[in-house]
Amino acid sequence: PERWAAILGATKLAELRERVDLELTARNPERVPASAPVVLEVDIKNAAQLVVKTFRIDAVAYFLARGAEVDTTIDLDGMVASDEIVLRSELPAIRRERRRIALPGCERPGTYVIELIGNGKSSRALIRKGGLRHSLRVGAAGPTLRILDEDGNALTGARVWLGGREYAPREDGAISIPFSTA
């Protein structure tokens, strides 16, 4: 610190010491396979105590209510975190550290918002664990969809929302959508 005080000056050194950083690194994936553990990589500075809250979001209900995908601007007021971890650091306030934070609250497939809170600053990450795909075949009655998991296995109980209407699967698991002019 003495070396940096001489180079930066007392004022700049004090600003650097007081600055709080909670930055997610570029290596954090937005999508994670359903069977993989979720780990966030975060650069932390001047946060002796870091609170990590995991919120599991019902993406379908959110989409039906707002007509948009879940993102990090979601209002979490009134929501209770499904998991909360408190991490402590003994490093000096001027030192920045990179930490890998395992998130045991993200075990199941789904959409999660992770909120990091430390020393008056917060940062958020959006994690989508697992995913679905579809196959499409157009027939005489209209398009027929099959919903597949990330391993390519057909999901027989899946439903499709299209144009504000829900389409249920047939007995074989395929979902038929009639042709329409709209």
Side-chain angles (χ1 to χ4, degrees):
E2 295 82 24
R3 183 178 125 208
W4 291 109
I7 295 171
L8 296 174
T11 307
K12 293 273 188 199
L13 183 64
E15 288 175 9
L16 182 62
R17 182 177 286 119
E18 295 301 316
R19 190 180 80 206
V20 178
D21 291 341
L22 290 177
E23 296 178 8
L24 298 160
T25 68
R27 289 193 263 187
N28 289 315
E30 186 176 316
R31 295 194 178 274
V32 177
S35 59
V38 178
V39 177
L40 279 183
E41 192 173 82
V42 184
D43 289 332
I44 304 166
K45 184 185 143 329
N46 194 14
Q49 178 174 302
L50 180 67
V51 179
V52 182
K53 295 182 178 184
T54 301
F55 296 89
R56 189 165 197 271
I57 309 296
D58 184 343
V60 174
Y62 185 88
F63 183 81
L64 292 175
R66 294 186 177 70
E69 295 266 344
V70 176
D71 62 12
T72 56
T73 63
I74 185 174
D75 184 11
L76 298 174
D77 288 343
M79 293 182 70
V80 177
S82 57
D83 190 42
E84 187 171 314
I85 303 168
V86 177
L87 303 171
R88 302 196 190 292
S89 175
E90 301 294 326
L91 290 178
I94 199 164
R95 185 148 172 224
R96 187 175 180 149
E97 132 184 73
R98 179 162 287 175
R99 291 187 77 167
R100 293 180 50 81
I101 303 169
L103 300 171
C106 298
E107 290 178 356
R108 302 182 319 178
T111 302
Y112 297 90
V113 173
I114 312 302
E115 187 166 44
L116 307 161
I117 305 166
N119 201 5
K121 190 168 183 178
S122 69
S123 187
R124 288 185 179 177
L126 176 68
I127 305 288
R128 297 179 198 280
K129 186 164 182 186
L132 302 176
R133 326 181 261 165
H134 70 279
S135 66
L136 174 68
R137 179 183 56 81
V138 179
T144 300
L145 296 167
R146 288 195 184 273
I147 307 302
L148 311 169
D149 65 13
E150 61 189 3
D151 296 326
N153 302 316
L155 300 175
T156 57
R159 299 174 180 276
V160 171
W161 283 89
L162 182 64
R165 187 166 171 208
E166 180 180 17
Y167 293 91
R170 302 185 309 228
E171 288 181 18
D172 65 352
I175 301 167
S176 295
I177 300 171
F179 283 123
S180 171
T181 58

